[in-house]
Amino acid sequence: MLVTTLTSFLGPFMISSVNVALPAIQTDLNLTAVQLSWIATAYLLAVTVVVLPAGKIADIHGRKKVFTAGLTIYTLASTAMVLAHSAVWLLTCRALQGVGAGLFITTGMAILTSIFPPHKRGRVIGIYVAAVYVGLSVGPFVGGAMIQQFGWRSIFLIMLPLGAGSVAITLAYLRGEWADQAGQRLDIIGSLIYTIAILTLVYGASELPSWPGMILVLVGLVGLITFFHQQQRAAQPLFEFSLFTTNRTFTFSSLAALLNYSATFAVTFLMSLYLQYFKGMSPRSAGTLLMIQPVVMAVFSPLAGRLSDRIEPRLLASAGMATTVVGMLVFSQLHPSRNDLVGIGCNLVLLGLGFALFTSPNTNAIMGSVTKEHYGIASGVVATMRLMGQMVSMTTATVVLALLVGHEPIGPANLDRFLQSIRTVFLASALFCTVGVFCSLFRGRLRQQ
Protein backbone atom coordinates (compact mmCIF):
# COMPACT_ATOMS: atom_id res chain seq x y z
CA MET A 1 0.00 0.00 0.00
CA LEU A 2 2.82 2.39 0.93
CA VAL A 3 4.82 1.75 -2.23
CA THR A 4 1.94 1.92 -4.71
CA THR A 5 0.38 4.95 -3.02
CA LEU A 6 3.66 6.85 -3.14
CA THR A 7 4.03 6.23 -6.86
CA SER A 8 0.39 7.11 -7.55
CA PHE A 9 1.27 10.57 -6.18
CA LEU A 10 4.12 11.29 -8.61
CA GLY A 11 2.36 11.44 -11.99
CA PRO A 12 -0.51 13.72 -10.88
CA PHE A 13 1.94 15.96 -9.02
CA MET A 14 3.89 16.48 -12.23
CA ILE A 15 0.77 16.97 -14.38
CA SER A 16 -0.68 19.66 -12.12
CA SER A 17 2.70 21.40 -11.70
CA VAL A 18 3.21 21.53 -15.47
CA ASN A 19 -0.25 23.04 -15.99
CA VAL A 20 0.70 26.00 -13.79
CA ALA A 21 4.05 26.32 -15.59
CA LEU A 22 2.57 26.60 -19.10
CA PRO A 23 2.70 30.42 -19.47
CA ALA A 24 6.33 30.46 -18.26
CA ILE A 25 7.27 27.63 -20.64
CA GLN A 26 5.53 29.41 -23.53
CA THR A 27 7.50 32.60 -22.88
CA ASP A 28 10.86 30.84 -22.49
CA LEU A 29 10.59 28.50 -25.49
CA ASN A 30 8.28 30.70 -27.64
CA LEU A 31 5.59 28.04 -28.09
CA THR A 32 2.26 28.44 -29.89
CA ALA A 33 -1.10 27.68 -28.25
CA VAL A 34 -1.27 24.29 -29.99
CA GLN A 35 2.31 23.37 -28.99
CA LEU A 36 1.41 24.33 -25.42
CA SER A 37 -1.49 21.88 -25.41
CA TRP A 38 0.86 19.16 -26.72
CA ILE A 39 2.90 19.35 -23.50
CA ALA A 40 0.01 17.52 -21.84
CA THR A 41 -1.08 15.57 -24.91
CA ALA A 42 2.38 14.05 -25.62
CA TYR A 43 2.49 12.63 -22.10
CA LEU A 44 -1.04 11.24 -22.25
CA LEU A 45 -0.53 9.80 -25.71
CA ALA A 46 2.59 7.89 -24.60
CA VAL A 47 0.86 6.54 -21.49
CA THR A 48 -2.19 5.45 -23.48
CA VAL A 49 -0.03 3.59 -26.01
CA VAL A 50 1.93 1.82 -23.26
CA VAL A 51 -0.69 0.78 -20.68
CA LEU A 52 -2.30 -2.09 -22.61
CA PRO A 53 0.94 -3.89 -23.55
CA ALA A 54 2.33 -3.09 -20.08
CA GLY A 55 -0.62 -4.78 -18.35
CA LYS A 56 -0.12 -7.94 -20.41
CA ILE A 57 3.68 -7.92 -20.00
CA ALA A 58 3.23 -7.53 -16.24
CA ASP A 59 0.83 -10.49 -16.07
CA ILE A 60 3.35 -12.61 -18.00
CA HIS A 61 6.73 -11.55 -16.58
CA GLY A 62 5.83 -10.03 -13.20
CA ARG A 63 4.16 -6.83 -12.06
CA LYS A 64 6.99 -5.77 -9.75
CA LYS A 65 9.54 -5.86 -12.60
CA VAL A 66 7.38 -3.69 -14.86
CA PHE A 67 6.50 -1.38 -11.96
CA THR A 68 10.18 -0.75 -11.12
CA ALA A 69 11.19 -0.27 -14.76
CA GLY A 70 8.47 2.35 -15.17
CA LEU A 71 9.63 4.32 -12.15
CA THR A 72 13.22 4.33 -13.42
CA ILE A 73 12.30 5.56 -16.93
CA TYR A 74 10.00 8.22 -15.47
CA THR A 75 12.73 9.57 -13.19
CA LEU A 76 15.39 9.73 -15.92
CA ALA A 77 13.04 11.42 -18.42
CA SER A 78 11.95 13.99 -15.83
CA THR A 79 15.57 14.86 -15.09
CA ALA A 80 16.37 15.23 -18.81
CA MET A 81 13.57 17.81 -19.17
CA VAL A 82 15.61 20.22 -17.03
CA LEU A 83 17.93 20.63 -20.05
CA ALA A 84 15.11 21.28 -22.57
CA HIS A 85 15.94 24.15 -24.96
CA SER A 86 13.34 23.55 -27.68
CA ALA A 87 9.80 22.27 -28.19
CA VAL A 88 11.13 19.04 -29.74
CA TRP A 89 13.32 18.23 -26.72
CA LEU A 90 10.57 19.09 -24.26
CA LEU A 91 7.89 17.04 -26.02
CA THR A 92 10.22 14.06 -26.52
CA CYS A 93 11.03 13.96 -22.81
CA ARG A 94 7.32 14.32 -21.97
CA ALA A 95 6.61 11.29 -24.17
CA LEU A 96 9.35 9.28 -22.39
CA GLN A 97 7.85 10.36 -19.08
CA GLY A 98 4.55 8.96 -20.32
CA VAL A 99 6.16 5.63 -21.21
CA GLY A 100 7.51 5.28 -17.67
CA ALA A 101 4.23 6.36 -16.11
CA GLY A 102 2.31 3.88 -18.25
CA LEU A 103 4.42 1.03 -16.87
CA PHE A 104 3.83 1.81 -13.19
CA ILE A 105 0.26 3.09 -13.46
CA THR A 106 -1.15 -0.12 -14.93
CA THR A 107 0.73 -2.38 -12.48
CA GLY A 108 0.12 -0.46 -9.25
CA MET A 109 -3.64 -1.03 -9.20
CA ALA A 110 -3.21 -4.72 -10.17
CA ILE A 111 -0.74 -5.28 -7.31
CA LEU A 112 -3.15 -3.77 -4.77
CA THR A 113 -6.10 -5.81 -6.07
CA SER A 114 -4.00 -9.00 -5.92
CA ILE A 115 -3.14 -8.45 -2.26
CA PHE A 116 -6.30 -7.14 -0.59
CA PRO A 117 -9.54 -9.19 -0.24
CA PRO A 118 -12.79 -8.07 -1.98
CA HIS A 119 -14.42 -6.71 1.20
CA LYS A 120 -11.52 -4.22 1.62
CA ARG A 121 -11.07 -3.39 -2.04
CA GLY A 122 -13.17 -0.21 -2.06
CA ARG A 123 -11.34 1.21 0.96
CA VAL A 124 -7.92 0.45 -0.53
CA ILE A 125 -8.80 1.88 -3.93
CA GLY A 126 -10.16 4.97 -2.17
CA ILE A 127 -6.79 5.53 -0.48
CA TYR A 128 -4.94 4.92 -3.75
CA VAL A 129 -7.15 7.42 -5.58
CA ALA A 130 -6.78 9.90 -2.70
CA ALA A 131 -3.00 9.82 -3.20
CA VAL A 132 -3.56 10.73 -6.85
CA TYR A 133 -5.61 13.73 -5.78
CA VAL A 134 -3.08 14.74 -3.13
CA GLY A 135 -0.55 14.91 -5.95
CA LEU A 136 -2.95 17.02 -7.98
CA SER A 137 -3.56 19.34 -5.03
CA VAL A 138 0.06 19.77 -3.93
CA GLY A 139 1.31 20.21 -7.50
CA PRO A 140 -0.22 23.63 -8.28
CA PHE A 141 0.82 25.16 -4.94
CA VAL A 142 4.33 23.71 -4.65
CA GLY A 143 4.90 23.90 -8.39
CA GLY A 144 3.63 27.48 -8.56
CA ALA A 145 5.90 28.55 -5.70
CA MET A 146 8.92 26.83 -7.26
CA ILE A 147 8.26 28.35 -10.69
CA GLN A 148 8.01 31.82 -9.18
CA GLN A 149 11.23 31.43 -7.16
CA PHE A 150 13.45 29.14 -9.27
CA GLY A 151 11.90 28.96 -12.77
CA TRP A 152 9.85 26.29 -14.51
CA ARG A 153 12.74 23.82 -14.86
CA SER A 154 12.82 23.31 -11.09
CA ILE A 155 9.55 21.32 -11.13
CA PHE A 156 11.25 18.67 -13.28
CA LEU A 157 14.45 18.66 -11.25
CA ILE A 158 12.53 17.80 -8.07
CA MET A 159 11.48 14.51 -9.70
CA LEU A 160 15.05 13.20 -9.36
CA PRO A 161 15.00 12.77 -5.55
CA LEU A 162 11.30 11.83 -5.51
CA GLY A 163 11.64 9.25 -8.28
CA ALA A 164 14.92 7.81 -7.05
CA GLY A 165 13.47 7.54 -3.54
CA SER A 166 10.44 5.69 -4.90
CA VAL A 167 12.65 3.22 -6.77
CA ALA A 168 14.70 2.60 -3.61
CA ILE A 169 11.58 2.01 -1.50
CA THR A 170 10.15 -0.32 -4.15
CA LEU A 171 13.30 -2.46 -4.28
CA ALA A 172 13.64 -2.52 -0.50
CA TYR A 173 10.06 -3.12 0.65
CA LEU A 174 7.89 -4.51 -2.17
CA ARG A 175 8.23 -8.24 -1.50
CA GLY A 176 7.28 -11.07 -3.84
CA GLU A 177 6.18 -11.09 -7.47
CA TRP A 178 2.84 -11.43 -9.30
CA ALA A 179 2.66 -13.12 -12.71
CA ASP A 180 -0.72 -14.84 -13.07
CA GLN A 181 -0.25 -15.53 -16.81
CA ALA A 182 3.38 -16.74 -16.77
CA GLY A 183 4.24 -18.73 -19.88
CA GLN A 184 1.99 -16.80 -22.27
CA ARG A 185 3.34 -14.61 -25.10
CA LEU A 186 2.84 -10.93 -25.85
CA ASP A 187 0.76 -10.22 -28.96
CA ILE A 188 3.36 -8.16 -30.89
CA ILE A 189 1.20 -7.65 -33.98
CA GLY A 190 -1.75 -6.44 -31.90
CA SER A 191 0.54 -4.08 -29.97
CA LEU A 192 1.85 -2.52 -33.20
CA ILE A 193 -1.63 -2.08 -34.70
CA TYR A 194 -2.88 -0.47 -31.47
CA THR A 195 0.13 1.88 -31.23
CA ILE A 196 -0.11 3.08 -34.83
CA ALA A 197 -3.88 3.56 -34.57
CA ILE A 198 -3.67 5.69 -31.41
CA LEU A 199 -0.74 7.79 -32.68
CA THR A 200 -2.36 8.61 -36.03
CA LEU A 201 -5.76 9.30 -34.45
CA VAL A 202 -4.50 11.77 -31.85
CA TYR A 203 -1.97 13.52 -34.08
CA GLY A 204 -4.55 13.77 -36.85
CA ALA A 205 -7.06 15.33 -34.45
CA SER A 206 -4.50 17.99 -33.48
CA GLU A 207 -4.11 18.89 -37.19
CA LEU A 208 -7.86 19.35 -37.86
CA PRO A 209 -9.51 20.84 -39.89
CA SER A 210 -6.75 20.33 -42.52
CA TRP A 211 -7.01 17.51 -45.07
CA PRO A 212 -3.93 15.67 -43.71
CA GLY A 213 -5.54 15.80 -40.26
CA MET A 214 -8.81 14.33 -41.55
CA ILE A 215 -6.95 11.54 -43.38
CA LEU A 216 -4.91 10.66 -40.27
CA VAL A 217 -8.05 10.56 -38.10
CA LEU A 218 -9.67 8.21 -40.63
CA VAL A 219 -6.56 5.99 -40.67
CA GLY A 220 -6.59 5.89 -36.86
CA LEU A 221 -10.25 4.85 -36.73
CA VAL A 222 -9.65 2.12 -39.32
CA GLY A 223 -6.67 0.98 -37.25
CA LEU A 224 -8.79 0.64 -34.09
CA ILE A 225 -11.40 -1.40 -36.00
CA THR A 226 -8.60 -3.59 -37.37
CA PHE A 227 -7.22 -4.02 -33.84
CA PHE A 228 -10.65 -5.13 -32.59
CA HIS A 229 -10.96 -7.83 -35.26
CA GLN A 230 -7.34 -8.96 -34.90
CA GLN A 231 -7.74 -9.38 -31.13
CA GLN A 232 -10.77 -11.63 -31.57
CA ARG A 233 -8.68 -14.01 -33.72
CA ALA A 234 -5.47 -13.87 -31.65
CA ALA A 235 -4.65 -16.99 -29.58
CA GLN A 236 -3.36 -14.87 -26.67
CA PRO A 237 -4.90 -11.41 -27.20
CA LEU A 238 -3.43 -8.22 -25.85
CA PHE A 239 -6.90 -7.05 -24.81
CA GLU A 240 -9.74 -9.31 -23.65
CA PHE A 241 -12.64 -7.85 -25.64
CA SER A 242 -14.75 -10.75 -24.32
CA LEU A 243 -14.90 -8.87 -21.01
CA PHE A 244 -16.89 -6.15 -22.78
CA THR A 245 -19.23 -8.55 -24.58
CA THR A 246 -20.00 -10.80 -21.59
CA ASN A 247 -19.70 -8.50 -18.56
CA ARG A 248 -22.25 -5.66 -18.48
CA THR A 249 -20.94 -4.12 -15.25
CA PHE A 250 -17.39 -4.05 -16.60
CA THR A 251 -18.50 -2.61 -19.95
CA PHE A 252 -20.62 0.29 -18.73
CA SER A 253 -18.31 1.09 -15.79
CA SER A 254 -15.42 1.39 -18.27
CA LEU A 255 -17.48 3.52 -20.65
CA ALA A 256 -18.56 5.78 -17.78
CA ALA A 257 -14.90 6.25 -16.80
CA LEU A 258 -13.98 7.13 -20.39
CA LEU A 259 -16.71 9.79 -20.56
CA ASN A 260 -15.91 11.21 -17.13
CA TYR A 261 -12.24 11.75 -17.89
CA SER A 262 -13.07 13.02 -21.39
CA ALA A 263 -15.04 15.76 -19.67
CA THR A 264 -12.83 16.65 -16.74
CA PHE A 265 -9.11 16.48 -17.47
CA ALA A 266 -8.81 19.77 -19.37
CA VAL A 267 -10.31 21.72 -16.44
CA THR A 268 -6.97 22.46 -14.76
CA PHE A 269 -5.24 23.17 -18.09
CA LEU A 270 -7.89 25.71 -19.13
CA MET A 271 -8.48 27.27 -15.72
CA SER A 272 -4.74 27.74 -15.11
CA LEU A 273 -4.48 29.71 -18.37
CA TYR A 274 -7.73 31.61 -17.67
CA LEU A 275 -6.62 32.73 -14.21
CA GLN A 276 -3.19 33.89 -15.41
CA TYR A 277 -4.18 35.51 -18.72
CA PHE A 278 -7.57 36.99 -17.78
CA LYS A 279 -7.31 37.53 -14.02
CA GLY A 280 -3.63 38.49 -13.99
CA MET A 281 -2.79 35.97 -11.26
CA SER A 282 0.76 34.74 -10.65
CA PRO A 283 1.56 31.02 -11.10
CA ARG A 284 1.62 30.58 -7.31
CA SER A 285 -1.72 32.35 -6.78
CA ALA A 286 -3.40 30.45 -9.62
CA GLY A 287 -1.97 27.20 -8.30
CA THR A 288 -3.25 27.93 -4.80
CA LEU A 289 -6.79 28.52 -6.06
CA LEU A 290 -6.71 25.42 -8.25
CA MET A 291 -5.68 23.35 -5.20
CA ILE A 292 -9.28 23.51 -3.99
CA GLN A 293 -10.59 20.90 -6.39
CA PRO A 294 -8.01 18.11 -5.76
CA VAL A 295 -8.02 18.76 -1.99
CA VAL A 296 -11.77 18.09 -1.94
CA MET A 297 -11.16 14.99 -4.06
CA ALA A 298 -8.43 13.75 -1.72
CA VAL A 299 -10.65 14.23 1.35
CA PHE A 300 -13.76 12.53 -0.02
CA SER A 301 -12.28 9.74 -2.20
CA PRO A 302 -11.49 7.36 0.72
CA LEU A 303 -15.00 7.95 2.10
CA ALA A 304 -16.56 7.25 -1.29
CA GLY A 305 -14.43 4.13 -1.60
CA ARG A 306 -15.57 2.80 1.78
CA LEU A 307 -19.19 3.58 0.96
CA SER A 308 -18.89 1.62 -2.31
CA ASP A 309 -18.12 -1.53 -0.26
CA ARG A 310 -21.64 -1.25 1.20
CA ILE A 311 -23.67 0.83 -1.28
CA GLU A 312 -24.11 0.01 -4.97
CA PRO A 313 -21.22 1.79 -6.76
CA ARG A 314 -23.48 2.81 -9.66
CA LEU A 315 -25.57 5.01 -7.35
CA LEU A 316 -22.57 6.85 -5.91
CA ALA A 317 -20.81 7.16 -9.27
CA SER A 318 -23.93 8.40 -11.05
CA ALA A 319 -24.50 11.06 -8.39
CA GLY A 320 -20.89 12.17 -8.80
CA MET A 321 -21.21 12.39 -12.57
CA ALA A 322 -24.44 14.43 -12.33
CA THR A 323 -22.71 16.84 -9.94
CA THR A 324 -19.91 17.25 -12.47
CA VAL A 325 -22.41 18.22 -15.21
CA VAL A 326 -23.53 21.18 -13.09
CA GLY A 327 -19.93 22.30 -12.49
CA MET A 328 -19.08 22.18 -16.20
CA LEU A 329 -22.13 24.25 -17.12
CA VAL A 330 -21.12 26.88 -14.54
CA PHE A 331 -17.60 27.16 -16.03
CA SER A 332 -19.04 27.45 -19.54
CA GLN A 333 -20.34 30.89 -18.47
CA LEU A 334 -16.96 32.35 -17.39
CA HIS A 335 -16.49 36.07 -18.10
CA PRO A 336 -13.35 38.12 -17.27
CA SER A 337 -15.32 41.25 -16.32
CA ARG A 338 -16.90 39.55 -13.31
CA ASN A 339 -15.28 39.58 -9.88
CA ASP A 340 -15.92 35.85 -9.54
CA LEU A 341 -12.89 34.30 -7.85
CA VAL A 342 -15.06 33.19 -4.91
CA GLY A 343 -17.55 31.68 -7.34
CA ILE A 344 -14.73 29.88 -9.16
CA GLY A 345 -13.52 28.49 -5.84
CA CYS A 346 -17.01 27.27 -4.91
CA ASN A 347 -17.42 25.60 -8.29
CA LEU A 348 -14.05 23.87 -7.86
CA VAL A 349 -15.39 22.45 -4.58
CA LEU A 350 -18.46 21.17 -6.43
CA LEU A 351 -16.33 19.57 -9.17
CA GLY A 352 -14.00 18.02 -6.59
CA LEU A 353 -16.95 16.43 -4.79
CA GLY A 354 -18.34 15.12 -8.08
CA PHE A 355 -15.01 13.58 -9.12
CA ALA A 356 -14.54 11.94 -5.70
CA LEU A 357 -18.01 10.40 -5.68
CA PHE A 358 -17.44 8.97 -9.15
CA THR A 359 -13.85 7.71 -9.29
CA SER A 360 -13.39 5.34 -6.32
CA PRO A 361 -16.81 3.61 -6.61
CA ASN A 362 -16.46 3.27 -10.38
CA THR A 363 -12.96 1.77 -10.09
CA ASN A 364 -14.23 -0.60 -7.41
CA ALA A 365 -17.00 -1.70 -9.79
CA ILE A 366 -14.50 -2.42 -12.60
CA MET A 367 -11.99 -4.35 -10.48
CA GLY A 368 -14.74 -6.17 -8.57
CA SER A 369 -16.46 -7.41 -11.72
CA VAL A 370 -13.59 -9.63 -12.96
CA THR A 371 -11.85 -12.76 -11.72
CA LYS A 372 -8.28 -12.90 -10.37
CA GLU A 373 -6.58 -13.91 -13.63
CA HIS A 374 -7.95 -10.76 -15.27
CA TYR A 375 -6.77 -8.29 -12.60
CA GLY A 376 -3.83 -7.12 -14.74
CA ILE A 377 -6.00 -6.62 -17.81
CA ALA A 378 -8.75 -4.93 -15.77
CA SER A 379 -6.17 -2.62 -14.19
CA GLY A 380 -4.92 -1.85 -17.69
CA VAL A 381 -8.49 -1.07 -18.75
CA VAL A 382 -8.91 1.29 -15.76
CA ALA A 383 -5.72 3.09 -16.77
CA THR A 384 -6.62 3.01 -20.48
CA MET A 385 -10.10 4.46 -19.95
CA ARG A 386 -8.67 7.18 -17.73
CA LEU A 387 -5.89 8.05 -20.15
CA MET A 388 -7.99 7.73 -23.29
CA GLY A 389 -10.50 10.04 -21.62
CA GLN A 390 -7.78 12.50 -20.59
CA MET A 391 -6.43 12.35 -24.13
CA VAL A 392 -9.89 12.97 -25.60
CA SER A 393 -10.25 15.91 -23.21
CA MET A 394 -6.92 17.45 -24.23
CA THR A 395 -7.51 16.64 -27.91
CA THR A 396 -10.87 18.39 -27.70
CA ALA A 397 -9.16 21.43 -26.19
CA THR A 398 -6.39 21.26 -28.82
CA VAL A 399 -8.83 21.06 -31.74
CA VAL A 400 -10.95 23.93 -30.39
CA LEU A 401 -7.83 26.06 -29.85
CA ALA A 402 -6.61 25.25 -33.36
CA LEU A 403 -9.97 26.23 -34.87
CA LEU A 404 -10.60 29.39 -32.87
CA VAL A 405 -7.14 30.68 -31.87
CA GLY A 406 -4.95 29.09 -34.53
CA HIS A 407 -1.25 28.25 -34.44
CA GLU A 408 -0.10 31.39 -32.66
CA PRO A 409 0.85 32.34 -29.08
CA ILE A 410 -1.92 33.40 -26.70
CA GLY A 411 -1.83 37.19 -26.33
CA PRO A 412 -3.93 40.37 -26.23
CA ALA A 413 -4.81 40.08 -29.92
CA ASN A 414 -6.63 36.76 -29.52
CA LEU A 415 -7.87 36.71 -25.91
CA ASP A 416 -11.50 37.01 -27.03
CA ARG A 417 -11.14 33.92 -29.22
CA PHE A 418 -9.31 32.12 -26.43
CA LEU A 419 -12.22 32.82 -24.04
CA GLN A 420 -14.64 31.46 -26.63
CA SER A 421 -12.48 28.32 -26.83
CA ILE A 422 -12.68 27.82 -23.06
CA ARG A 423 -16.47 28.13 -23.03
CA THR A 424 -16.82 25.73 -25.97
CA VAL A 425 -14.68 23.05 -24.31
CA PHE A 426 -16.66 23.26 -21.05
CA LEU A 427 -19.96 22.91 -22.93
CA ALA A 428 -18.60 19.82 -24.69
CA SER A 429 -17.50 18.49 -21.28
CA ALA A 430 -21.01 18.93 -19.87
CA LEU A 431 -22.35 16.90 -22.79
CA PHE A 432 -19.83 14.09 -22.19
CA CYS A 433 -20.82 13.89 -18.51
CA THR A 434 -24.55 13.88 -19.30
CA VAL A 435 -24.11 10.79 -21.49
CA GLY A 436 -21.88 9.31 -18.76
CA VAL A 437 -24.67 9.54 -16.17
CA PHE A 438 -26.86 7.22 -18.25
CA CYS A 439 -23.99 4.76 -18.81
CA SER A 440 -23.29 4.72 -15.08
CA LEU A 441 -26.92 4.01 -14.19
CA PHE A 442 -27.25 1.32 -16.86
CA ARG A 443 -24.33 -0.82 -15.61
CA GLY A 444 -26.50 -2.95 -13.28
CA ARG A 445 -25.67 -4.25 -9.82
CA LEU A 446 -22.10 -5.15 -8.86
CA ARG A 447 -21.49 -8.77 -7.92
CA GLN A 448 -18.29 -9.09 -5.93
CA GLN A 449 -16.07 -11.97 -6.97
Side-chain angles (χ1 to χ4, degrees):
M1 188 75 221
L2 171 65
V3 171
T4 56
T5 300
L6 178 61
T7 55
S8 72
F9 166 88
L10 292 179
F13 174 83
M14 176 59 69
I15 289 172
S16 58
S17 297
V18 169
N19 279 333
V20 176
L22 291 176
I25 295 174
Q26 176 185 267
T27 301
D28 191 21
L29 301 183
N30 194 30
L31 305 183
T32 68
V34 173
Q35 286 176 325
L36 209 60
S37 68
W38 265 98
I39 293 175
T41 304
Y43 173 86
L44 294 173
L45 180 57
V47 180
T48 306
V49 166
V50 166
V51 286
L52 276 187
K56 191 69 174 181
I57 292 170
D59 284 346
I60 296 172
H61 298 289
R63 293 166 191 158
K64 180 182 175 181
K65 292 185 183 73
V66 175
F67 186 80
T68 308
L71 274 174
T72 303
I73 293 170
Y74 186 86
T75 303
L76 293 175
S78 301
T79 306
M81 291 181 75
V82 176
L83 305 176
H85 59 276
S86 67
V88 173
W89 183 300
L90 186 71
L91 296 178
T92 300
C93 289
R94 279 294 275 172
L96 288 173
Q97 252 193 333
V99 170
L103 294 176
F104 67 72
I105 285 172
T106 193
T107 45
M109 182 70 72
I111 290 172
L112 282 183
T113 310
S114 300
I115 294 173
F116 287 92
H119 69 277
K120 291 185 178 179
R121 186 177 295 132
R123 182 184 307 173
V124 169
I125 289 173
I127 295 171
Y128 182 89
V129 171
V132 173
Y133 294 149
V134 169
L136 288 173
S137 62
V138 171
F141 178 75
V142 175
M146 292 179 65
I147 294 161
Q148 203 155 319
Q149 294 297 321
F150 308 109
W152 63 267
R153 298 174 193 273
S154 63
I155 63 174
F156 298 111
L157 185 60
I158 198 175
M159 281 294 109
L160 179 59
L162 288 176
S166 298
V167 172
I169 292 174
T170 300
L171 294 174
Y173 295 106
L174 190 59
R175 306 297 183 187
E177 185 56 281
W178 301 267
D180 294 330
Q181 295 182 14
Q184 291 195 19
R185 298 176 62 184
L186 177 67
D187 180 8
I188 301 295
I189 295 176
S191 299
L192 289 174
I193 295 173
Y194 173 76
T195 299
I196 294 170
I198 293 295
L199 288 173
T200 54
L201 183 63
V202 175
Y203 182 73
S206 71
E207 294 296 310
L208 292 176
S210 68
W211 278 108
M214 293 179 185
I215 293 171
L216 286 172
V217 168
L218 181 61
V219 170
L221 292 174
V222 171
L224 289 178
I225 295 171
T226 303
F227 175 68
F228 172 76
H229 289 294
Q230 186 269 342
Q231 289 295 284
Q232 291 183 315
R233 296 191 304 269
Q236 296 175 352
L238 179 69
F239 193 80
E240 294 284 351
F241 278 104
S242 60
L243 289 174
F244 286 99
T245 58
T246 61
N247 189 330
R248 176 177 163 183
T249 299
F250 181 86
T251 300
F252 283 96
S253 297
S254 300
L255 185 56
L258 175 64
L259 289 164
N260 182 265
Y261 288 109
S262 296
T264 58
F265 183 72
V267 170
T268 305
F269 169 75
L270 293 173
M271 290 306 299
S272 174
L273 295 176
Y274 176 81
L275 292 173
Q276 293 183 66
Y277 281 114
F278 287 101
K279 295 297 183 180
M281 298 179 72
S282 66
R284 181 166 55 186
S285 299
T288 301
L289 182 59
L290 291 173
M291 277 181 63
I292 294 174
Q293 175 191 312
V295 165
V296 172
M297 293 151 74
V299 170
F300 286 98
S301 289
L303 175 61
R306 286 197 300 271
L307 286 175
S308 70
D309 287 330
R310 301 192 300 270
I311 301 173
E312 272 298 312
R314 69 185 180 96
L315 300 177
L316 293 170
S318 300
M321 189 86 86
T323 302
T324 304
V325 173
V326 177
M328 292 299 172
L329 290 174
V330 170
F331 272 158
S332 70
Q333 303 301 312
L334 285 170
H335 199 285
S337 64
R338 298 175 189 154
N339 186 16
D340 57 353
L341 291 181
V342 174
I344 290 174
C346 291
N347 199 47
L348 289 171
V349 171
L350 185 68
L351 285 174
L353 181 61
F355 296 170
L357 284 174
F358 174 81
T359 306
S360 297
N362 194 71
T363 304
N364 191 17
I366 293 175
M367 300 302 294
S369 67
V370 301
T371 53
K372 184 177 181 180
E373 63 268 22
H374 289 136
Y375 280 167
I377 293 175
S379 178
V381 169
V382 171
T384 301
M385 292 300 105
R386 178 175 70 247
L387 292 157
M388 284 287 284
Q390 291 173 344
M391 196 170 59
V392 169
S393 186
M394 283 307 303
T395 301
T396 302
T398 301
V399 170
V400 172
L401 284 170
L403 291 173
L404 297 181
V405 178
H407 294 262
E408 57 187 69
I410 300 171
N414 56 30
L415 283 180
D416 56 336
R417 286 177 283 147
F418 179 55
L419 179 61
Q420 186 181 352
S421 301
I422 292 175
R423 292 170 176 168
T424 301
V425 174
F426 280 128
L427 282 173
S429 297
L431 178 61
F432 286 142
C433 277
T434 301
V435 177
V437 171
F438 292 101
C439 291
S440 182
L441 289 171
F442 193 65
R443 79 181 77 194
R445 294 179 62 85
L446 172 65
R447 296 179 181 177
Q448 298 282 359
Q449 301 296 325

